[in-house]
């Protein structure tokens, strides 16, 4: 058994969804390790749902790796870190390829608020190209966020620069309010919102509003934000919310309490930094 398979063996795998989630998470950790060895975190930070899962023990799995440069760097290219990622996978017994993904106007990532100057890439196994993870790097990040060093133990012990929880929260609330995903609903945003409320995390509203200004071209007051949030929570089809997140949850029974009214009650518990 090689090191990659040893990492995979630590997961409880009984279903195809569990296997896919575990495989993605092992790949994510190895990719992060490769980026670390390449010096990526000297100029970038990790954020998004995968950051919440890996470093804060969220009970849902996540698909993509989202990063933000610390400062605007329009000419930044992730391609200089490809070799470090590939070498890290090879050291653990797996071969991968990293390819730049060309963005089109009608892709899902476009609707997920990736800007024109965001770089994103795919990592795939050379033997099974249906298994892949996506890396996205925001090279012109909204201002007003803070970072911290978090410890990752797999595939070896190292420190990773991450957004702090109030700023991760801000990014998630922006996604929950403004994400457009066709006729689908990204229930994973709702799962994370519940996690932040239950974990008593304070929202950095200033960073949230910087995101609204940059992505949506408007200024939002706290009262505007709460009203928009409650409208979204009240009117969205909760069954679609559950359907999206179910394959990624470790404990499906946790969703039994979910209803529009439940999330409206959670919104009343939201606190600011």
């Amino acid at each position: 058994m090689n090191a990659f398979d040893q990492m995979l063996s630590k997961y409880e795998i009984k279903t195809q969804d569990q296997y896919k989630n575990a495989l993605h998470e092992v790949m994510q950790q190895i990719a992060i390790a490769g980026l670390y060895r390449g010096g990526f975190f000297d100029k970038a930070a990790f954020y998004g749902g995968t950051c919440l899962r890996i470093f804060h023990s969220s009970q849902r799995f996540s698909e993509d790796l989202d990063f933000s440069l610390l400062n605007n760097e329009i000419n930044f290219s992730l391609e200089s870190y490809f070799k470090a990622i590939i070498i890290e996978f090879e050291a653990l017994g797996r071969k991968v390829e990293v390819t730049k993904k060309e963005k089109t106007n009608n892709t899902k990532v476009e609707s997920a608020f990736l800007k024109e100057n965001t770089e994103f890439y795919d990592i795939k196994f050379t033997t099974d190209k249906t298994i892949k993870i996506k890396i996205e790097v925001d090279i012109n990040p909204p201002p007003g966020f803070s970072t911290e060093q978090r410890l990752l133990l797999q595939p070896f012990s190292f420190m990773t620069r991450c957004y702090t929880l109030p700023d991760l929260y801000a990014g998630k609330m922006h996604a929950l309010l403004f994400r457009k995903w066709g006729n689908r609903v990204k229930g994973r945003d709702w799962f994370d919102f519940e996690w932040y409320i239950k974990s008593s995390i304070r929202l950095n509203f200033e960073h949230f509003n910087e995101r609204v200004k940059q992505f949506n071209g408007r200024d939002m007051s706290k009262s505007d934000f709460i009203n928009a949030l409650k409208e979204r929570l009240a009117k969205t089809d909760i069954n679609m919310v559950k359907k999206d997140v179910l394959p990624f949850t470790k404990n499906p029974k946790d969703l039994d309490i979910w209803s529009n009214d439940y999330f409206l009650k959670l919104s009343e518990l939201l606190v600011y930094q």
Side-chain angles (χ1 to χ4, degrees):
M1 182 182 294
N2 61 31
F4 185 99
D5 293 332
Q6 287 176 352
M7 290 178 67
L8 195 61
S9 69
K10 296 180 180 180
Y11 293 81
E12 180 180 358
I13 300 174
K14 296 180 179 179
T15 67
Q16 186 61 31
D17 282 339
Q18 289 173 342
Y19 171 72
K20 183 178 178 181
N21 288 332
L23 189 59
H24 274 105
E25 190 158 292
V26 169
M27 290 180 69
Q28 289 161 354
Q29 292 179 70
I30 297 171
I32 294 167
L35 290 169
Y36 164 81
R37 288 200 197 268
F40 177 71
F41 294 106
D42 293 338
K43 60 170 57 182
F46 191 21
Y47 75 105
T50 308
C51 182
L52 198 66
R53 162 67 187 161
I54 290 177
F55 287 105
H56 299 284
S57 302
S58 168
Q59 293 299 293
R60 80 154 178 95
F61 289 92
S62 186
E63 293 180 299
D64 304 328
L65 292 172
D66 299 307
F67 301 101
S68 169
L69 295 186
L70 304 179
N71 300 292
N72 185 330
E73 189 176 333
I74 298 300
N75 295 321
F76 173 84
S77 174
L78 187 64
E79 292 177 49
S80 60
Y81 300 94
F82 283 6
K83 184 176 181 180
I85 294 172
I86 291 168
I87 289 173
E88 198 64 41
F89 273 93
E90 288 180 345
L92 295 170
R94 300 300 286 264
K95 290 185 178 295
V96 298
E97 60 183 31
V98 189
T99 57
K100 183 172 182 176
K101 183 176 179 181
E102 298 301 328
K103 189 167 70 167
T104 61
N105 291 331
N106 60 354
T107 61
K108 187 189 305 182
V109 289
E110 189 70 28
S111 64
F113 309 114
L114 295 177
K115 297 173 297 219
E116 290 299 326
N117 52 7
T118 297
E119 296 287 336
F120 51 109
Y121 304 82
D122 284 338
I123 297 178
K124 303 177 184 178
F125 288 127
T126 57
T127 53
D128 184 353
K129 299 191 179 175
T130 65
I131 303 297
K132 63 181 180 180
I133 60 174
K134 184 169 63 183
I135 301 178
E136 300 173 355
V137 184
D138 189 341
I139 62 178
N140 183 23
F145 62 89
S146 300
T147 65
E148 61 183 358
Q149 296 290 334
R150 306 287 303 189
L151 176 64
L152 188 59
L153 298 176
Q154 297 290 337
F156 58 89
S157 297
F158 64 97
M159 302 299 290
T160 303
R161 186 192 298 273
C162 301
Y163 272 40
T164 61
L165 281 169
D167 299 310
L168 285 169
Y169 195 0
K172 180 54 61 176
M173 296 313 296
H174 179 259
L176 195 156
L177 275 186
F178 293 101
R179 190 192 300 274
K180 293 182 176 66
W181 223 25
N183 294 322
R184 298 169 61 194
V185 176
K186 194 162 186 181
R188 285 158 275 182
D189 292 339
W190 294 55
F191 189 101
D192 293 352
F193 170 55
E194 179 192 44
W195 185 92
Y196 284 113
I197 293 293
K198 292 172 72 172
S199 301
S200 301
I201 306 303
R202 293 178 175 269
L203 171 69
N204 182 351
F205 184 80
E206 286 70 23
H207 181 56
F208 165 82
N209 201 31
E210 290 292 344
R211 288 185 168 272
V212 175
K213 289 177 185 177
Q214 188 177 100
F215 288 105
N216 308 102
R218 56 181 289 195
D219 201 347
M220 205 171 200
S221 68
K222 288 181 179 178
S223 61
D224 289 338
F225 161 64
I226 289 296
N227 290 337
L229 175 62
K230 288 185 175 181
E231 182 177 9
R232 174 60 64 93
L233 297 176
K235 293 184 176 180
T236 304
D237 185 338
I238 197 67
N239 291 319
M240 291 180 64
V241 173
K242 290 182 180 182
K243 183 179 179 180
D244 173 76
V245 76
L246 189 60
F248 301 96
T249 56
K250 294 189 70 176
N251 304 301
K253 284 289 186 182
D254 290 346
L255 308 186
D256 288 350
I257 195 175
W258 281 25
S259 68
N260 295 92
D261 186 58
Y262 170 66
F263 278 95
L264 285 169
K265 285 181 168 55
L266 288 180
S267 71
E268 295 171 2
L269 302 175
L270 187 148
V271 292
Y272 300 104
Q273 190 179 46

